Amino acid sequence: MSREGYISLRKVLKDYLNEQGITINDLLSVMDEDKEGIMEALSKRVYLTSEQRKILERNLSSRNLNLLLFVIQAFYILNPSGLYKGLTIEPVREDIMRGDKVTFEGCRSILKALGISLAT
């Protein structure tokens, strides 16, 4: 349950896609399926060591990597306010990003908020 003034990332994603008239499947079907390409795109947006990169590649499907990439771009990088419809997105931007990039721990928090397990 979200606190007053906050909205969960899952709700934000669901509401956003609903407003756009698309499903997660629609979104992910037009994204790159090649893990190498997805990891290159993530590397431009996330501070990753080579070991952290391997952890993501090993433990997440292309579908989950693409969802992570979309959420990072749409709700954290392109949204410096950290708000969605006047509510603060949880997890909060300050806990996800350092400067203009997401941290590995930020990725873990996003994945957890989306209900995606990153078993390591």
Side-chain angles (χ1 to χ4, degrees):
M1 187 103 198
S2 292
R3 301 176 289 172
E4 190 172 328
Y6 289 82
I7 185 169
S8 72
L9 183 57
R10 275 182 92 130
K11 281 187 178 180
V12 169
L13 179 61
K14 184 177 180 181
D15 185 71
Y16 178 82
L17 293 175
N18 188 46
E19 282 193 351
Q20 300 303 312
I22 60 174
T23 66
I24 286 180
N25 286 336
D26 295 336
L27 173 71
L28 298 178
S29 71
V30 298
M31 296 180 79
D32 193 352
E33 290 184 24
D34 174 51
K35 272 194 177 182
E36 187 61 34
I38 301 166
M39 291 309 301
E40 283 305 311
L42 274 172
S43 292
K44 293 177 183 173
R45 294 160 179 85
V46 180
Y47 293 109
L48 291 174
T49 65
S50 59
E51 184 57 34
Q52 291 167 337
R53 182 181 168 129
K54 287 176 190 170
I55 289 169
L56 290 176
E57 278 183 288
R58 254 194 328 258
N59 293 293
L60 296 176
S61 66
S62 293
R63 181 178 171 85
N64 285 339
L65 287 169
N66 273 325
L67 185 57
L68 175 63
L69 179 62
F70 175 77
V71 166
I72 286 170
Q73 187 69 29
F75 303 120
Y76 291 97
I77 292 176
L78 295 177
N79 182 18
S81 72
L83 300 175
Y84 182 77
K85 296 185 176 181
L87 299 171
T88 302
I89 299 170
E90 254 184 340
V92 297
R93 190 173 194 273
E94 294 77 27
D95 292 343
I96 299 300
M97 299 189 70
R98 184 173 2 113
D100 62 346
K101 282 188 164 186
V102 173
T103 64
F104 181 69
E105 285 307 314
C107 285
R108 283 182 180 273
S109 295
I110 289 170
L111 291 166
K112 182 178 179 183
L114 294 173
I116 299 170
S117 175
L118 182 63
T120 54

